[in-house]
Amino acid sequence: MRVLVTGGAGYIGSHTLLELLAQGHEVCVLDNYANAAPDVLDRVRALSNRPLRDETGDVRDRSRLDKIMDDFAPEAVIHFAGLKAVGESGTNPLGYYDVNINGTLTLLQAMQRADCKRIIFSSSATVYGEPQYLPYDEAHPLNPMSVYGRTKLMAEQILTDWAAAQPDRATVLLRYFNPVGAHPSADLGEDPRDTPNNLMPLIAQVATGKREALQVYGDDYDTPDGTGLRDYIHVVDLARAHLAALSYAATQSGARPFNIGTGQNYSVREMVQAFEKASGRKIPTINSPRRDGDVAAMQADARRANRELGWQATHGLDDMAASTWAWQTKNHNG
C-alpha cells in the first residue's frame, strides 16, 4: 500500500516508518522538521535497507499537499503532524489550533481532492480529561482539560464527520497514552528540542548529568505515593498499533476510536526507580507544584484494540527503561 506519513520524522512517526517498510509498504514522509531532524530518515533507511521518499513541507500548505498527492497518489494517510505539549498549548493556544486543526482540515481537503479515503489519526488519551472511572474505555465521556486535548478532540470530530459523509471512507482514531522507550538498535528514540515535555527524556537527562534533578510536578495526588499515575506504552508497541490500524482501515468504513495502552499504570516514582535499575545511577528529584491540565491517574482499557485490531502491547516497564537508557547513552545529543 502507498502510505503518506505526516510528521514521519518524529519520535513515534519514525518507529512507525520502520514497521511500514518491514511490511513492504511504499512510504512517503511529509515533515517540516519543527520537532525532528532530517537525519532520522537516513537512520530509518539504514535500519530498514529500503527506499523511503521524503518531502519537506508543512501540513497546512495546500499547494504542497496537492503536489504530493498528485505525485505519490497515497492509498492511505497516517497523520502524526501536530503540536503536542500540554503546558505550551495553554500559552500558545492560537498556534495549537492553527497547526492541529487547520493542519488536519487542509490535509483532509487534499485527500478529498485526490480521492484518498483512509486515514489513521494520532490522537491522545487527553481527550478523556478527568477520569469518571478507570480504566478509560472508549465510551468514557470526553472532556479534555487542556488546549492540546481540545485540539485533539476537535480533530477527531472533524475526521469522524468526514468519514461519515461517504460510505467508503475510513478513519481510525488511536487514543494512546504515554509513549516511552526506543528502538532496540538504539538508533531511534525520543529526541526532544529544548526542554523535554515528557517524563522519560527528563529522567534520562538527569542520569547523564545534563540536569541536576528531576522536577516532580505534584506529590500530593490521591495515589499510593502521591505522584501521578500514567499508562506508559513502549514506542515499538505503539508503532505496531498503527500498522494494525492500517490493516483494519483497509477493510472497514466509518470512524472508530481505539485506546492504545498496556492497561497498567505506574507512578512517577516507580518510573524513576525503573530507570535507576536500568542505568545503575541515582536520579535525584525535587518536588514542584502540580501543572495545569494534569490529572492524578490515567489507565487504558485496551480490550477493543486487542479484539478488533488484533493488537496487544508486549513490552514491559523494564524494557521501556532499558531501551531509553541504551538510546541515551549511544546518542548523547540525540
Side-chain angles (χ1 to χ4, degrees):
M1 187 183 296
R2 290 185 306 280
V3 185
L4 172 64
V5 183
T6 71
Y11 174 44
I12 303 165
S14 59
H15 286 80
T16 303
L17 294 179
L18 277 180
E19 300 296 327
L20 286 165
L21 294 169
Q23 290 195 10
H25 294 284
E26 186 178 349
V27 180
C28 177
V29 173
L30 172 68
D31 207 301
N32 66 2
Y33 302 106
N35 194 36
D39 69 344
V40 169
L41 301 183
D42 294 331
R43 296 188 183 201
V44 169
R45 291 185 181 97
L47 288 167
S48 66
N49 197 31
R50 290 184 58 84
L52 173 68
R53 175 171 173 172
D54 64 279
E55 302 283 352
T56 302
D58 194 287
V59 75
R60 296 165 292 177
D61 187 336
R62 171 177 173 156
S63 61
R64 192 84 180 94
L65 283 172
D66 281 344
K67 187 176 188 309
I68 292 168
M69 293 289 176
D70 289 342
D71 292 346
F72 184 65
E75 298 165 272
V77 173
I78 301 180
H79 182 30
F80 290 107
L83 301 178
K84 62 179 185 177
V86 169
E88 182 186 59
S89 71
T91 60
N92 182 25
L94 296 184
Y96 271 69
Y97 283 110
D98 184 26
V99 174
N100 294 359
I101 302 303
N102 190 28
T104 300
L105 283 168
T106 305
L107 175 62
L108 284 175
Q109 289 162 352
M111 289 175 61
Q112 190 162 301
R113 287 190 291 273
D115 201 31
C116 179
K117 298 179 178 180
R118 310 201 180 282
I119 183 168
I120 313 304
F121 178 54
S122 170
S123 190
S124 167
T126 58
V127 298
Y128 293 119
E130 192 73 45
Q132 295 189 17
Y133 56 84
L134 287 176
Y136 296 109
D137 57 23
E138 290 83 356
H140 188 283
L142 305 176
N143 186 29
M145 298 173 63
S146 66
V147 171
Y148 166 69
R150 286 190 283 276
T151 66
K152 286 294 188 181
L153 182 55
M154 289 181 185
E156 281 196 8
Q157 189 60 63
I158 291 166
L159 287 155
T160 299
D161 292 341
W162 174 82
Q166 285 192 8
D168 55 352
R169 291 177 179 166
T171 291
V172 181
L173 311 169
L174 297 185
R175 296 171 180 166
Y176 50 82
F177 285 67
N178 291 68
V180 294
H183 189 263
S185 67
D187 286 329
L188 290 179
E190 189 168 9
D191 181 24
R193 298 285 176 89
D194 302 320
T195 302
N197 294 302
N198 299 325
L199 175 65
M200 193 66 95
L202 287 167
I203 295 176
Q205 288 186 3
V206 175
T208 59
K210 282 189 175 182
R211 295 179 181 276
E212 292 185 3
L214 174 73
Q215 284 189 292
V216 177
Y217 294 101
D219 65 344
D220 57 351
Y221 287 108
D222 185 17
T223 61
D225 65 16
T227 65
L229 293 167
R230 297 291 181 268
D231 189 329
Y232 295 91
I233 180 168
H234 196 289
V235 66
V236 172
D237 282 332
L238 181 53
R240 290 172 180 167
H242 285 79
L243 272 290
L246 187 66
S247 296
Y248 175 90
T251 61
Q252 302 294 323
S253 62
R256 188 76 163 155
F258 292 94
N259 287 337
I260 305 299
T262 64
Q264 301 182 52
N265 57 19
Y266 300 97
S267 73
V268 173
R269 299 207 184 281
E270 287 175 314
M271 295 297 288
V272 167
Q273 291 165 6
F275 205 90
E276 288 178 336
K277 176 183 174 183
S279 66
R281 301 188 179 189
K282 181 67 177 175
I283 309 295
T285 62
I286 299 172
N287 293 331
S288 298
R290 300 182 186 186
R291 295 178 299 188
D292 290 340
D294 282 348
V295 299
M298 301 182 82
Q299 185 179 355
D301 180 342
R303 288 178 294 178
R304 177 184 287 182
N306 302 159
R307 183 176 63 250
E308 298 183 24
L309 299 183
W311 169 89
Q312 191 161 1
T314 60
H315 295 75
L317 178 58
D318 286 345
D319 190 38
M320 297 176 198
S323 62
T324 301
W325 180 237
W327 154 257
Q328 188 71 56
T329 53
K330 188 175 181 180
N331 303 270
H332 294 289
N333 297 309

mmCIF file with all atom_site columns, all heavy atoms in Angstrom, residues 12-31:
data_model
loop_
_atom_site.group_PDB
_atom_site.id
_atom_site.type_symbol
_atom_site.label_atom_id
_atom_site.label_alt_id
_atom_site.label_comp_id
_atom_site.label_asym_id
_atom_site.label_entity_id
_atom_site.label_seq_id
_atom_site.pdbx_PDB_ins_code
_atom_site.Cartn_x
_atom_site.Cartn_y
_atom_site.Cartn_z
_atom_site.occupancy
_atom_site.B_iso_or_equiv
_atom_site.pdbx_formal_charge
_atom_site.auth_seq_id
_atom_site.auth_comp_id
_atom_site.auth_asym_id
_atom_site.auth_atom_id
_atom_site.pdbx_PDB_model_num
ATOM 1   N N   . ILE A 1 12 ? 7.400  9.013  17.299 1.00 0.00 ? 12 ILE A N   1
ATOM 2   C CA  . ILE A 1 12 ? 6.517  7.887  17.017 1.00 0.00 ? 12 ILE A CA  1
ATOM 3   C C   . ILE A 1 12 ? 6.481  7.610  15.516 1.00 0.00 ? 12 ILE A C   1
ATOM 4   O O   . ILE A 1 12 ? 6.482  6.449  15.081 1.00 0.00 ? 12 ILE A O   1
ATOM 5   C CB  . ILE A 1 12 ? 5.100  8.166  17.562 1.00 0.00 ? 12 ILE A CB  1
ATOM 6   C CG1 . ILE A 1 12 ? 5.159  8.461  19.054 1.00 0.00 ? 12 ILE A CG1 1
ATOM 7   C CG2 . ILE A 1 12 ? 4.179  6.976  17.307 1.00 0.00 ? 12 ILE A CG2 1
ATOM 8   C CD1 . ILE A 1 12 ? 3.906  9.098  19.609 1.00 0.00 ? 12 ILE A CD1 1
ATOM 9   N N   . GLY A 1 13 ? 6.493  8.671  14.721 1.00 0.00 ? 13 GLY A N   1
ATOM 10  C CA  . GLY A 1 13 ? 6.449  8.506  13.282 1.00 0.00 ? 13 GLY A CA  1
ATOM 11  C C   . GLY A 1 13 ? 7.606  7.686  12.749 1.00 0.00 ? 13 GLY A C   1
ATOM 12  O O   . GLY A 1 13 ? 7.420  6.795  11.900 1.00 0.00 ? 13 GLY A O   1
ATOM 13  N N   . SER A 1 14 ? 8.820  7.951  13.220 1.00 0.00 ? 14 SER A N   1
ATOM 14  C CA  . SER A 1 14 ? 9.994  7.247  12.695 1.00 0.00 ? 14 SER A CA  1
ATOM 15  C C   . SER A 1 14 ? 9.942  5.753  13.028 1.00 0.00 ? 14 SER A C   1
ATOM 16  O O   . SER A 1 14 ? 10.322 4.913  12.198 1.00 0.00 ? 14 SER A O   1
ATOM 17  C CB  . SER A 1 14 ? 11.278 7.868  13.236 1.00 0.00 ? 14 SER A CB  1
ATOM 18  O OG  . SER A 1 14 ? 11.325 7.828  14.654 1.00 0.00 ? 14 SER A OG  1
ATOM 19  N N   . HIS A 1 15 ? 9.478  5.419  14.218 1.00 0.00 ? 15 HIS A N   1
ATOM 20  C CA  . HIS A 1 15 ? 9.335  3.999  14.560 1.00 0.00 ? 15 HIS A CA  1
ATOM 21  C C   . HIS A 1 15 ? 8.254  3.343  13.710 1.00 0.00 ? 15 HIS A C   1
ATOM 22  O O   . HIS A 1 15 ? 8.380  2.171  13.327 1.00 0.00 ? 15 HIS A O   1
ATOM 23  C CB  . HIS A 1 15 ? 9.017  3.852  16.057 1.00 0.00 ? 15 HIS A CB  1
ATOM 24  C CG  . HIS A 1 15 ? 10.184 4.109  16.954 1.00 0.00 ? 15 HIS A CG  1
ATOM 25  N ND1 . HIS A 1 15 ? 10.583 5.388  17.287 1.00 0.00 ? 15 HIS A ND1 1
ATOM 26  C CD2 . HIS A 1 15 ? 11.051 3.265  17.574 1.00 0.00 ? 15 HIS A CD2 1
ATOM 27  C CE1 . HIS A 1 15 ? 11.635 5.311  18.098 1.00 0.00 ? 15 HIS A CE1 1
ATOM 28  N NE2 . HIS A 1 15 ? 11.938 4.051  18.275 1.00 0.00 ? 15 HIS A NE2 1
ATOM 29  N N   . THR A 1 16 ? 7.201  4.098  13.403 1.00 0.00 ? 16 THR A N   1
ATOM 30  C CA  . THR A 1 16 ? 6.141  3.560  12.546 1.00 0.00 ? 16 THR A CA  1
ATOM 31  C C   . THR A 1 16 ? 6.648  3.348  11.127 1.00 0.00 ? 16 THR A C   1
ATOM 32  O O   . THR A 1 16 ? 6.260  2.373  10.457 1.00 0.00 ? 16 THR A O   1
ATOM 33  C CB  . THR A 1 16 ? 4.929  4.501  12.568 1.00 0.00 ? 16 THR A CB  1
ATOM 34  O OG1 . THR A 1 16 ? 4.482  4.661  13.919 1.00 0.00 ? 16 THR A OG1 1
ATOM 35  C CG2 . THR A 1 16 ? 3.787  3.952  11.720 1.00 0.00 ? 16 THR A CG2 1
ATOM 36  N N   . LEU A 1 17 ? 7.525  4.230  10.644 1.00 0.00 ? 17 LEU A N   1
ATOM 37  C CA  . LEU A 1 17 ? 8.105  4.048  9.317  1.00 0.00 ? 17 LEU A CA  1
ATOM 38  C C   . LEU A 1 17 ? 8.808  2.701  9.203  1.00 0.00 ? 17 LEU A C   1
ATOM 39  O O   . LEU A 1 17 ? 8.671  1.992  8.193  1.00 0.00 ? 17 LEU A O   1
ATOM 40  C CB  . LEU A 1 17 ? 9.104  5.165  9.011  1.00 0.00 ? 17 LEU A CB  1
ATOM 41  C CG  . LEU A 1 17 ? 8.567  6.585  8.876  1.00 0.00 ? 17 LEU A CG  1
ATOM 42  C CD1 . LEU A 1 17 ? 9.721  7.547  8.595  1.00 0.00 ? 17 LEU A CD1 1
ATOM 43  C CD2 . LEU A 1 17 ? 7.509  6.685  7.787  1.00 0.00 ? 17 LEU A CD2 1
ATOM 44  N N   . LEU A 1 18 ? 9.576  2.346  10.229 1.00 0.00 ? 18 LEU A N   1
ATOM 45  C CA  . LEU A 1 18 ? 10.284 1.063  10.191 1.00 0.00 ? 18 LEU A CA  1
ATOM 46  C C   . LEU A 1 18 ? 9.314  -0.109 10.075 1.00 0.00 ? 18 LEU A C   1
ATOM 47  O O   . LEU A 1 18 ? 9.563  -1.065 9.325  1.00 0.00 ? 18 LEU A O   1
ATOM 48  C CB  . LEU A 1 18 ? 11.131 0.893  11.455 1.00 0.00 ? 18 LEU A CB  1
ATOM 49  C CG  . LEU A 1 18 ? 12.506 1.563  11.461 1.00 0.00 ? 18 LEU A CG  1
ATOM 50  C CD1 . LEU A 1 18 ? 13.204 1.291  12.792 1.00 0.00 ? 18 LEU A CD1 1
ATOM 51  C CD2 . LEU A 1 18 ? 13.364 1.077  10.311 1.00 0.00 ? 18 LEU A CD2 1
ATOM 52  N N   . GLU A 1 19 ? 8.211  -0.034 10.804 1.00 0.00 ? 19 GLU A N   1
ATOM 53  C CA  . GLU A 1 19 ? 7.221  -1.110 10.740 1.00 0.00 ? 19 GLU A CA  1
ATOM 54  C C   . GLU A 1 19 ? 6.553  -1.152 9.366  1.00 0.00 ? 19 GLU A C   1
ATOM 55  O O   . GLU A 1 19 ? 6.306  -2.231 8.808  1.00 0.00 ? 19 GLU A O   1
ATOM 56  C CB  . GLU A 1 19 ? 6.177  -0.935 11.842 1.00 0.00 ? 19 GLU A CB  1
ATOM 57  C CG  . GLU A 1 19 ? 6.740  -0.954 13.253 1.00 0.00 ? 19 GLU A CG  1
ATOM 58  C CD  . GLU A 1 19 ? 7.356  -2.283 13.641 1.00 0.00 ? 19 GLU A CD  1
ATOM 59  O OE1 . GLU A 1 19 ? 6.862  -3.341 13.168 1.00 0.00 ? 19 GLU A OE1 1
ATOM 60  O OE2 . GLU A 1 19 ? 8.347  -2.277 14.400 1.00 0.00 ? 19 GLU A OE2 1
ATOM 61  N N   . LEU A 1 20 ? 6.256  0.014  8.805  1.00 0.00 ? 20 LEU A N   1
ATOM 62  C CA  . LEU A 1 20 ? 5.657  0.072  7.468  1.00 0.00 ? 20 LEU A CA  1
ATOM 63  C C   . LEU A 1 20 ? 6.591  -0.525 6.420  1.00 0.00 ? 20 LEU A C   1
ATOM 64  O O   . LEU A 1 20 ? 6.171  -1.333 5.572  1.00 0.00 ? 20 LEU A O   1
ATOM 65  C CB  . LEU A 1 20 ? 5.341  1.520  7.096  1.00 0.00 ? 20 LEU A CB  1
ATOM 66  C CG  . LEU A 1 20 ? 4.147  2.183  7.786  1.00 0.00 ? 20 LEU A CG  1
ATOM 67  C CD1 . LEU A 1 20 ? 4.201  3.691  7.581  1.00 0.00 ? 20 LEU A CD1 1
ATOM 68  C CD2 . LEU A 1 20 ? 2.832  1.622  7.240  1.00 0.00 ? 20 LEU A CD2 1
ATOM 69  N N   . LEU A 1 21 ? 7.849  -0.141 6.452  1.00 0.00 ? 21 LEU A N   1
ATOM 70  C CA  . LEU A 1 21 ? 8.811  -0.630 5.471  1.00 0.00 ? 21 LEU A CA  1
ATOM 71  C C   . LEU A 1 21 ? 9.060  -2.126 5.634  1.00 0.00 ? 21 LEU A C   1
ATOM 72  O O   . LEU A 1 21 ? 9.235  -2.846 4.645  1.00 0.00 ? 21 LEU A O   1
ATOM 73  C CB  . LEU A 1 21 ? 10.117 0.156  5.594  1.00 0.00 ? 21 LEU A CB  1
ATOM 74  C CG  . LEU A 1 21 ? 10.001 1.645  5.214  1.00 0.00 ? 21 LEU A CG  1
ATOM 75  C CD1 . LEU A 1 21 ? 11.261 2.397  5.625  1.00 0.00 ? 21 LEU A CD1 1
ATOM 76  C CD2 . LEU A 1 21 ? 9.736  1.816  3.727  1.00 0.00 ? 21 LEU A CD2 1
ATOM 77  N N   . ALA A 1 22 ? 9.055  -2.598 6.871  1.00 0.00 ? 22 ALA A N   1
ATOM 78  C CA  . ALA A 1 22 ? 9.257  -4.029 7.120  1.00 0.00 ? 22 ALA A CA  1
ATOM 79  C C   . ALA A 1 22 ? 8.127  -4.859 6.516  1.00 0.00 ? 22 ALA A C   1
ATOM 80  O O   . ALA A 1 22 ? 8.342  -6.022 6.126  1.00 0.00 ? 22 ALA A O   1
ATOM 81  C CB  . ALA A 1 22 ? 9.365  -4.296 8.618  1.00 0.00 ? 22 ALA A CB  1
ATOM 82  N N   . GLN A 1 23 ? 6.944  -4.275 6.432  1.00 0.00 ? 23 GLN A N   1
ATOM 83  C CA  . GLN A 1 23 ? 5.803  -4.983 5.846  1.00 0.00 ? 23 GLN A CA  1
ATOM 84  C C   . GLN A 1 23 ? 5.654  -4.738 4.350  1.00 0.00 ? 23 GLN A C   1
ATOM 85  O O   . GLN A 1 23 ? 4.683  -5.186 3.743  1.00 0.00 ? 23 GLN A O   1
ATOM 86  C CB  . GLN A 1 23 ? 4.508  -4.601 6.576  1.00 0.00 ? 23 GLN A CB  1
ATOM 87  C CG  . GLN A 1 23 ? 4.428  -5.155 7.989  1.00 0.00 ? 23 GLN A CG  1
ATOM 88  C CD  . GLN A 1 23 ? 3.014  -5.075 8.565  1.00 0.00 ? 23 GLN A CD  1
ATOM 89  O OE1 . GLN A 1 23 ? 2.049  -4.777 7.873  1.00 0.00 ? 23 GLN A OE1 1
ATOM 90  N NE2 . GLN A 1 23 ? 2.890  -5.355 9.847  1.00 0.00 ? 23 GLN A NE2 1
ATOM 91  N N   . GLY A 1 24 ? 6.615  -4.017 3.754  1.00 0.00 ? 24 GLY A N   1
ATOM 92  C CA  . GLY A 1 24 ? 6.614  -3.855 2.311  1.00 0.00 ? 24 GLY A CA  1
ATOM 93  C C   . GLY A 1 24 ? 5.774  -2.727 1.766  1.00 0.00 ? 24 GLY A C   1
ATOM 94  O O   . GLY A 1 24 ? 5.546  -2.652 0.549  1.00 0.00 ? 24 GLY A O   1
ATOM 95  N N   . HIS A 1 25 ? 5.337  -1.819 2.624  1.00 0.00 ? 25 HIS A N   1
ATOM 96  C CA  . HIS A 1 25 ? 4.556  -0.678 2.143  1.00 0.00 ? 25 HIS A CA  1
ATOM 97  C C   . HIS A 1 25 ? 5.473  0.340  1.460  1.00 0.00 ? 25 HIS A C   1
ATOM 98  O O   . HIS A 1 25 ? 6.648  0.465  1.795  1.00 0.00 ? 25 HIS A O   1
ATOM 99  C CB  . HIS A 1 25 ? 3.819  -0.009 3.299  1.00 0.00 ? 25 HIS A CB  1
ATOM 100 C CG  . HIS A 1 25 ? 2.769  -0.867 3.927  1.00 0.00 ? 25 HIS A CG  1
ATOM 101 N ND1 . HIS A 1 25 ? 1.554  -1.101 3.339  1.00 0.00 ? 25 HIS A ND1 1
ATOM 102 C CD2 . HIS A 1 25 ? 2.771  -1.565 5.104  1.00 0.00 ? 25 HIS A CD2 1
ATOM 103 C CE1 . HIS A 1 25 ? 0.830  -1.898 4.122  1.00 0.00 ? 25 HIS A CE1 1
ATOM 104 N NE2 . HIS A 1 25 ? 1.546  -2.182 5.199  1.00 0.00 ? 25 HIS A NE2 1
ATOM 105 N N   . GLU A 1 26 ? 4.917  1.060  0.502  1.00 0.00 ? 26 GLU A N   1
ATOM 106 C CA  . GLU A 1 26 ? 5.619  2.155  -0.147 1.00 0.00 ? 26 GLU A CA  1
ATOM 107 C C   . GLU A 1 26 ? 5.279  3.426  0.628  1.00 0.00 ? 26 GLU A C   1
ATOM 108 O O   . GLU A 1 26 ? 4.093  3.750  0.792  1.00 0.00 ? 26 GLU A O   1
ATOM 109 C CB  . GLU A 1 26 ? 5.178  2.282  -1.603 1.00 0.00 ? 26 GLU A CB  1
ATOM 110 C CG  . GLU A 1 26 ? 5.955  3.306  -2.405 1.00 0.00 ? 26 GLU A CG  1
ATOM 111 C CD  . GLU A 1 26 ? 5.511  3.372  -3.849 1.00 0.00 ? 26 GLU A CD  1
ATOM 112 O OE1 . GLU A 1 26 ? 4.747  2.473  -4.281 1.00 0.00 ? 26 GLU A OE1 1
ATOM 113 O OE2 . GLU A 1 26 ? 5.911  4.330  -4.536 1.00 0.00 ? 26 GLU A OE2 1
ATOM 114 N N   . VAL A 1 27 ? 6.303  4.149  1.099  1.00 0.00 ? 27 VAL A N   1
ATOM 115 C CA  . VAL A 1 27 ? 6.075  5.205  2.083  1.00 0.00 ? 27 VAL A CA  1
ATOM 116 C C   . VAL A 1 27 ? 6.641  6.536  1.597  1.00 0.00 ? 27 VAL A C   1
ATOM 117 O O   . VAL A 1 27 ? 7.742  6.609  1.056  1.00 0.00 ? 27 VAL A O   1
ATOM 118 C CB  . VAL A 1 27 ? 6.713  4.842  3.442  1.00 0.00 ? 27 VAL A CB  1
ATOM 119 C CG1 . VAL A 1 27 ? 6.471  5.939  4.465  1.00 0.00 ? 27 VAL A CG1 1
ATOM 120 C CG2 . VAL A 1 27 ? 6.174  3.507  3.950  1.00 0.00 ? 27 VAL A CG2 1
ATOM 121 N N   . CYS A 1 28 ? 5.863  7.590  1.844  1.00 0.00 ? 28 CYS A N   1
ATOM 122 C CA  . CYS A 1 28 ? 6.303  8.959  1.631  1.00 0.00 ? 28 CYS A CA  1
ATOM 123 C C   . CYS A 1 28 ? 6.107  9.730  2.927  1.00 0.00 ? 28 CYS A C   1
ATOM 124 O O   . CYS A 1 28 ? 5.031  9.657  3.534  1.00 0.00 ? 28 CYS A O   1
ATOM 125 C CB  . CYS A 1 28 ? 5.506  9.614  0.499  1.00 0.00 ? 28 CYS A CB  1
ATOM 126 S SG  . CYS A 1 28 ? 5.915  11.359 0.213  1.00 0.00 ? 28 CYS A SG  1
ATOM 127 N N   . VAL A 1 29 ? 7.134  10.455 3.354  1.00 0.00 ? 29 VAL A N   1
ATOM 128 C CA  . VAL A 1 29 ? 7.079  11.237 4.589  1.00 0.00 ? 29 VAL A CA  1
ATOM 129 C C   . VAL A 1 29 ? 6.965  12.713 4.250  1.00 0.00 ? 29 VAL A C   1
ATOM 130 O O   . VAL A 1 29 ? 7.682  13.224 3.393  1.00 0.00 ? 29 VAL A O   1
ATOM 131 C CB  . VAL A 1 29 ? 8.353  11.011 5.436  1.00 0.00 ? 29 VAL A CB  1
ATOM 132 C CG1 . VAL A 1 29 ? 8.376  11.950 6.642  1.00 0.00 ? 29 VAL A CG1 1
ATOM 133 C CG2 . VAL A 1 29 ? 8.446  9.565  5.884  1.00 0.00 ? 29 VAL A CG2 1
ATOM 134 N N   . LEU A 1 30 ? 6.054  13.397 4.950  1.00 0.00 ? 30 LEU A N   1
ATOM 135 C CA  . LEU A 1 30 ? 5.981  14.861 4.908  1.00 0.00 ? 30 LEU A CA  1
ATOM 136 C C   . LEU A 1 30 ? 6.285  15.382 6.296  1.00 0.00 ? 30 LEU A C   1
ATOM 137 O O   . LEU A 1 30 ? 5.607  15.012 7.261  1.00 0.00 ? 30 LEU A O   1
ATOM 138 C CB  . LEU A 1 30 ? 4.591  15.330 4.468  1.00 0.00 ? 30 LEU A CB  1
ATOM 139 C CG  . LEU A 1 30 ? 4.354  16.846 4.571  1.00 0.00 ? 30 LEU A CG  1
ATOM 140 C CD1 . LEU A 1 30 ? 5.213  17.595 3.542  1.00 0.00 ? 30 LEU A CD1 1
ATOM 141 C CD2 . LEU A 1 30 ? 2.879  17.180 4.371  1.00 0.00 ? 30 LEU A CD2 1
ATOM 142 N N   . ASP A 1 31 ? 7.303  16.242 6.402  1.00 0.00 ? 31 ASP A N   1
ATOM 143 C CA  . ASP A 1 31 ? 7.671  16.780 7.711  1.00 0.00 ? 31 ASP A CA  1
ATOM 144 C C   . ASP A 1 31 ? 8.281  18.165 7.518  1.00 0.00 ? 31 ASP A C   1
ATOM 145 O O   . ASP A 1 31 ? 9.008  18.394 6.548  1.00 0.00 ? 31 ASP A O   1
ATOM 146 C CB  . ASP A 1 31 ? 8.682  15.860 8.416  1.00 0.00 ? 31 ASP A CB  1
ATOM 147 C CG  . ASP A 1 31 ? 8.619  15.960 9.932  1.00 0.00 ? 31 ASP A CG  1
ATOM 148 O OD1 . ASP A 1 31 ? 8.816  17.083 10.452 1.00 0.00 ? 31 ASP A OD1 1
ATOM 149 O OD2 . ASP A 1 31 ? 8.385  14.937 10.592 1.00 0.00 ? 31 ASP A OD2 1
#
